[in-house]
Amino acid sequence: NALSRGLLALLARDRIDEDTWEEFEDTLITSDLGVGPTTELVEALRTRLKVEGVADPGAARRVLREELLRLVDPTMDRSLATEPGTDANGAHVPAVVLVVGVNGTGKTTTVGKLARVLVAEDKDVLLGAADTFRAAAADQLETWGSRVGVPVVRGAEQADPASVAFDAVRAGQQGEADVVLVDTAGRLHSKTGLMDELGKVKRVIERTAPVGEVLLVLDATTGQNGLTQARIFREVVDVTGIVLTKLDGSAKGGIVVQVQRELGVPVKLIGLGEGVDDLAPFDAEQFVDAVLSEA
Amino acid sequence: MFDTLQDRLNSAFKSLRGKGRLTEADIDATCREIRIALLEADVNLSVVKEFVGAVKHRARGTELSGALNPSQQIIKIVDEELVAILGGETRTIRFAKKPPTVIMLAGLQGAGKTTLAGKLGRWLREQGHSPLLVAADLQRPNAVNQLQVVGERAGVHVFAPEPGVTTAGGADQPTGDPVLVARRAMYHAQQKLYDVVVVDTAGRLGVDEELMRQAAAIKAEVRPQETLFVVDAMIGQDAVNTARAFAEGVGFDGVVLTKLDGDARGGAALSIAKVTGRPIMFASNGEQLTDFDVFHPDRMASRILGMGDVLTLIEQA
Ligand SMILES: Nc1nc2c(ncn2[C@@H]2O[C@H](COP(=O)(O)OP(=O)(O)OP(=O)(O)O)[C@@H](O)[C@H]2O)c(=O)[nH]1
Ligand SMILES: Nc1nc2c(ncn2[C@@H]2O[C@H](COP(=O)(O)OP(=O)(O)OP(=O)(O)O)[C@@H](O)[C@H]2O)c(=O)[nH]1
Ligand SMILES: [Mg+2]
Ligand SMILES: [Mg+2]
């Protein structure tokens, strides 16, 4: 593969020249890692190779993998807050997961797949269709609900999304659901009106139950704009985790490295297809190996 | 860090005066900055390299003019090269001599195909056509309903003989065959004298060979005048792989860039235009049916470089 070829070429020369390093950076850039992290990674690698006097390609590759893994940080807490609780009066409070992101990243699908995972853990799950905007969005969520055997609370077409979310969480509380998953409409982070609306959805839910988990769904094909998306969504609704979808395609999703590093928000789940079982926990080592596989 | 290419270049040129020719070292320094700026705009790396090579070549032979400082002069070259690629062959829909004209939409999941079908429907209707939208995505949950709603909003008819995946139809069971729907749609359009047929298809990955074959089969059935590759402006380095996969697997005649109402630089536009040689025909810039425009190469060039005002100034110089 290109990366090990690059490394081999690099190690075959007595003096590693700038062109070689550039070639090497290139292989990382095509994973959407970004110019900044790539430069940093290559710097770190250069230093280590020099200090440790690494000469064989196998060892150099291990060093690279280590450095990249360090950037992705396997020690981050990637667990999901899905345990219900009780309020000050001892009343049942469901865990609430709010799912947000720009248009078409896979929010509704992720809600469906996540419901499946939670049902398999014997949890009582309820879905809230707070996307009242996109054509047939609530129908889509309802189909997912019936796929995984979970009820859906929906409102009238073009209803206020905050009120639908409120109703869903209220229904979850009254029905003693363990988890309420709230799907929201896709919105570009640059649209302040829509972002304000999202902030309101969260605040209104919190009259009934704290939102323990806010998942930002990022599409793995997304380039450098993903970092801006994450930054602004975090400002508005305090994102607690990233779901990286469509990793079953050819995109590597390298932008999440910057997201994690700059915002400290961990990737928690990955989407690997359109089927009910195509959701998996994020695994830093697998992710790194995929980035390096044919970068 | 510098925010704009302009800042970067100015700093690379600090010691220069607007005289004579640029030295090789100046050109190298500039090209490094251009490379970074394009990568940060998500232009594919292989495209960046080729592009920077071309800029370098032109910069070498350029006499510095009095009106522009050296960095502006290079930016002018960069801009011209960008527009040349982005606007290579601008055109709009080619209509069939014998109607109906068929427009088929293809692209990755969530790119904006179904929304675009509604936009095209409305746009065509306003131009006096009688378009028919065809629901050939029987895979995504409620894709058919979505197209029906969109069609209603656009005031155009939707041909949807199969419900696709819905709660009623058994949520796990895709009903019907999209290739068959496509064939029936053509018959229906001929019978009812629709003069444009817009075929919405399921989202699919470039690496999904089975679904790529399905798209090719739909295409063979409807024989479109225009197969449009619909792509999200936020896409990163993968744009090139995906565009190539669609070009080879289905074949397309034009590109539609969606979600341009966001703040992504949209470097993919350059990558796709360069790698496939297909024109970018339309820009989709919002969720409303009216958020739709023909593509403007010059605006896209400024956007990729992140320097609208500067370019206007340079144009005038
Ligand atoms: N291949 C693949 N496709 C996915 C994945 N997740 C979602 N999709 C597809 O992506 C498309 C968009 O998914 P949705 O769940 O509707 O996305 P969304 O974020 O809810 O979209 P909006 O509500 O319109 O913003 C659909 O065709 C899904 O089937 C994934 O992990 N892999
Ligand atoms: N902001 C913005 N959103 C858009 C634009 N075009 C489409 N969308 C939104 O993007 C999401 C996906 O659009 P769809 O039309 O369902 O995309 P698709 O390609 O048909 O998706 P699949 O059928 O699942 O592959 C929806 O939320 C749309 O409202 C656009 O130009 N700007
Ligand atoms: Mg949705
Ligand atoms: Mg669609």
Side-chain angles (χ1 to χ4, degrees):
Chain A
N1 79 34
L3 188 62
S4 31
R5 263 203 312 279
L7 270 176
L8 272 170
L10 167 166
L11 291 160
R13 297 177 204 175
D14 344 330
R15 266 190 67 251
I16 300 169
D17 60 18
E18 288 310 310
D19 279 355
T20 316
W21 285 113
E22 194 182 295
E23 268 169 45
F24 187 51
E25 289 178 353
D26 292 354
T27 57
L28 292 166
I29 279 173
T30 51
S31 309
D32 290 315
L33 217 66
V35 178
T38 295
T39 313
E40 205 173 294
L41 185 65
V42 172
E43 283 305 314
L45 186 66
R46 273 175 102 141
T47 311
R48 273 194 67 178
L49 289 180
K50 198 189 282 168
V51 171
E52 293 171 18
V54 174
D56 81 285
R61 196 171 157 57
R62 276 195 296 281
V63 174
L64 170 67
R65 188 176 178 282
E66 263 175 51
E67 293 296 337
L68 186 54
L69 196 57
R70 208 161 51 156
L71 266 182
V72 179
D73 193 358
T75 66
M76 279 182 134
D77 179 10
R78 301 178 196 275
S79 60
L80 285 180
T82 53
E83 290 303 323
T86 47
D87 67 12
N89 308 318
H92 176 84
V93 179
V96 178
V97 180
L98 185 66
V99 179
V100 304
V102 301
N103 306 82
T105 53
K107 294 173 291 300
T108 307
T109 308
T110 297
V111 167
K113 294 192 277 193
L114 183 55
R116 164 79 142 213
V117 171
L118 295 170
V119 166
E121 291 174 0
D122 259 345
K123 290 205 159 71
D124 214 342
V125 182
L126 183 69
L127 309 183
D131 179 356
T132 56
F133 180 76
R134 215 213 55 214
D139 298 331
Q140 184 191 358
L141 190 68
E142 213 155 37
T143 299
W144 271 103
S146 71
R147 269 185 172 177
V148 300
V150 159
V152 180
V153 173
R154 57 186 292 179
E157 198 124 322
Q158 313 291 318
D160 174 21
S163 82
V164 178
F166 179 84
D167 289 347
V169 173
R170 216 5 108 69
Q173 185 193 33
Q174 281 159 0
E176 306 222 328
D178 295 313
V179 191
V180 180
L181 304 178
V182 181
D183 184 29
T184 63
R187 67 198 76 225
L188 294 176
H189 53 282
S190 49
K191 306 210 162 166
T192 44
L194 294 177
M195 293 307 283
D196 289 348
E197 178 194 86
L198 186 64
K200 182 180 157 205
V201 168
K202 190 181 178 203
R203 283 194 305 278
V204 169
I205 292 173
E206 293 201 309
R207 290 187 204 152
T208 306
V211 177
E213 198 73 66
V214 179
L215 296 178
L216 172 68
V217 180
L218 279 182
D219 184 327
T221 58
T222 309
Q224 300 306 301
N225 193 247
L227 180 61
T228 319
Q229 291 172 26
R231 197 179 283 139
I232 297 177
F233 273 97
R234 193 183 67 148
E235 274 167 26
V236 176
V237 285
D238 196 12
V239 175
T240 58
I242 307 289
V243 183
L244 186 61
T245 58
K246 309 185 194 174
L247 267 183
D248 46 327
S250 45
K252 295 291 168 66
I255 188 64
V256 296
V257 175
Q258 277 188 78
V259 170
Q260 283 203 160
R261 199 183 54 148
E262 287 200 19
L263 307 177
V265 180
V267 185
K268 294 190 169 177
L269 298 165
I270 57 173
L272 293 166
E274 301 182 76
V276 283
D277 294 316
D278 296 328
L279 187 72
F282 177 80
D283 179 301
E285 307 225 2
Q286 275 173 18
F287 176 82
V288 165
D289 289 337
V291 166
L292 295 182
S293 67
E294 54 195 275
Chain B
M1 279 292 278
F2 303 108
D3 276 349
T4 65
L5 182 59
Q6 172 78 358
D7 292 345
R8 289 171 174 285
L9 292 186
N10 281 341
S11 95
F13 278 118
K14 258 198 303 276
S15 57
L16 275 183
R17 298 278 177 278
K19 273 194 233 132
R21 274 173 204 272
L22 296 171
T23 68
E24 198 62 22
D26 296 329
I27 293 172
D28 280 347
T30 321
C31 285
R32 256 196 306 281
E33 299 301 336
I34 293 167
R35 177 177 179 277
I36 294 174
L38 293 176
L39 286 174
E40 285 180 345
D42 289 321
V43 180
N44 179 273
L45 182 68
S46 59
V47 175
V48 170
K49 286 186 169 170
E50 209 178 311
F51 183 86
V52 169
V55 168
K56 221 174 218 177
H57 184 76
R58 264 189 70 183
R60 273 192 197 116
T62 306
E63 282 289 341
L64 290 175
S65 83
L68 298 175
N69 68 34
S71 76
Q72 288 171 331
Q73 193 127 2
I74 298 257
I75 288 169
K76 187 171 189 310
I77 294 174
V78 170
D79 181 52
E80 283 168 5
E81 292 286 323
L82 279 175
V83 173
I85 296 171
L86 292 169
E89 183 213 340
T90 39
R91 61 176 184 85
T92 179
I93 300 289
R94 292 171 300 206
F95 291 95
K97 288 207 185 73
K98 189 170 159 287
T101 297
V102 181
I103 304 170
M104 174 174 160
L105 309 180
L108 292 177
Q109 286 93 345
K113 297 174 290 300
T114 307
T115 308
L116 178 70
K119 292 179 181 185
L120 281 171
R122 183 188 164 279
W123 181 74
L124 289 162
R125 182 175 58 76
E126 295 214 323
Q127 301 200 341
H129 292 284
S130 58
L132 177 70
L133 309 185
V134 178
D137 176 359
L138 305 179
Q139 177 182 314
R140 170 189 171 150
N142 301 84
V144 174
N145 305 123
Q146 184 191 355
L147 189 70
Q148 283 167 325
V149 173
V150 159
E152 197 175 306
R153 288 182 191 162
V156 298
H157 290 151
V158 177
F159 182 71
E162 297 285 353
V165 179
T166 62
T167 313
D172 276 323
Q173 284 304 315
T175 61
D177 174 1
V179 182
L180 217 61
V181 168
R183 181 183 307 163
R184 290 175 59 187
M186 290 310 293
Y187 183 75
H188 182 79
Q190 272 145 11
Q191 294 295 302
K192 305 282 179 190
L193 303 176
Y194 291 99
D195 72 339
V196 188
V197 176
V198 179
V199 184
D200 182 31
T201 66
R204 63 200 79 227
L205 297 170
V207 294
D208 190 333
E209 286 173 22
E210 195 186 323
L211 282 184
M212 285 308 247
R213 274 197 298 275
Q214 182 203 69
I218 295 173
K219 184 174 176 183
E221 202 62 62
V222 300
R223 291 197 266 145
Q225 271 64 45
E226 300 284 3
T227 304
L228 301 182
F229 175 55
V230 182
V231 63
D232 187 323
M234 294 179 272
I235 193 170
Q237 294 288 318
D238 194 52
V240 156
N241 296 332
T242 296
R244 280 211 182 101
F246 276 84
E248 283 159 22
V250 196
F252 56 83
D253 309 292
V255 181
V256 181
L257 217 53
T258 64
K259 307 182 199 174
L260 275 169
D261 46 326
D263 58 4
R265 286 286 183 73
L270 187 71
S271 308
I272 294 168
K274 177 87 183 155
V275 165
T276 68
R278 294 287 178 267
I280 302 171
M281 291 168 61
F282 299 104
S284 189
N285 49 14
E287 296 190 73
Q288 305 294 344
L289 289 176
T290 45
D291 296 330
F292 175 69
D293 197 359
V294 295
F295 179 74
H296 297 284
D298 48 338
R299 286 187 211 164
M300 196 68 218
S302 317
R303 181 177 179 133
I304 290 174
L305 293 175
M307 49 195 321
D309 303 347
V310 180
L311 290 182
T312 321
L313 291 176
I314 290 173
E315 294 281 303
Q316 290 157 358

